[in-house]
Amino acid sequence: MNPSYQLLLILISALEITFTKKLLPNLIIIIITILYLMYKNLPARTWWWILAAPIIPGLAILVTIGWFGSHNIMYAWILVSRIYVYILTGTAIVKTHSTLTLTRSLEQNLHLPPKYAYGVLAALNLIPKTIENVQKIKQAATMRGSF
């Protein structure tokens, strides 16, 4: 699927589930996205991060709303499922398309001006560069003995 159209589909579905208070659409999107990601053969480590990372915020929502809040467990489960929808759909974009492919698709198909398209590319490439620089700083500090 075209990356820009896939991004638009994800944004529209995210907007739709944000304003509905039903669990079924969230579960349908989760199942479809998991099947799509299984089709794309993601590594096991990626699956572990996708499924384990939202556990802490999900538990926080369940405890906050279910125990201390309105005691509406169903609404708490809806919010937890939203977290998984957002993470899974974001992973579907990030792990199945390169940043350059996404940027070129935004520029060509959605007619995004080149300055904005390459601004998106710069923002997406900033995160790995930042992580790499932090690792270099830690390594240098370890070599000096000050870490």
Side-chain angles (χ1 to χ4, degrees):
M1 181 178 218
N2 190 331
S4 57
Y5 296 141
Q6 187 177 6
L7 180 63
L8 279 176
L9 179 66
I10 287 172
L11 290 174
I12 289 169
S13 65
L15 187 65
E16 188 267 333
I17 66 164
T18 300
F19 294 112
T20 59
K21 293 183 180 179
K22 295 181 181 178
L23 187 61
L24 186 62
N26 296 353
L27 294 177
I28 290 171
I29 293 172
I30 288 171
I31 291 169
I32 290 171
T33 309
I34 286 175
L35 291 174
Y36 175 73
L37 291 173
M38 288 173 71
Y39 173 73
K40 291 295 185 174
N41 294 325
L42 290 181
R45 183 175 178 176
T46 304
W47 279 108
W48 188 86
W49 277 107
I50 292 170
L51 299 175
I55 288 177
I56 293 174
L59 286 174
I61 288 173
L62 281 173
V63 169
T64 303
I65 292 177
W67 191 302
F68 299 113
S70 63
H71 303 289
N72 189 350
I73 298 297
M74 190 62 178
Y75 185 64
W77 279 110
I78 291 169
L79 293 179
V80 170
S81 68
R82 281 183 193 170
I83 292 173
Y84 276 96
V85 167
Y86 296 146
I87 287 178
L88 285 168
T89 54
T91 303
I93 280 285
V94 172
K95 293 294 184 180
T96 59
H97 303 290
S98 71
T99 54
L100 186 60
T101 305
L102 178 62
T103 304
R104 286 184 179 160
S105 177
L106 288 172
E107 185 179 0
Q108 292 171 358
N109 298 334
L110 298 182
H111 305 292
L112 193 67
K115 289 182 181 180
Y116 293 115
Y118 288 102
V120 169
L121 182 64
L124 292 174
N125 286 332
L126 182 67
I127 296 170
K129 295 289 184 189
T130 303
I131 292 171
E132 180 182 328
N133 286 334
V134 167
Q135 289 173 345
K136 285 180 183 178
I137 291 169
K138 282 184 180 180
Q139 186 179 18
T142 303
M143 292 172 84
R144 285 193 306 263
S146 61
F147 187 70

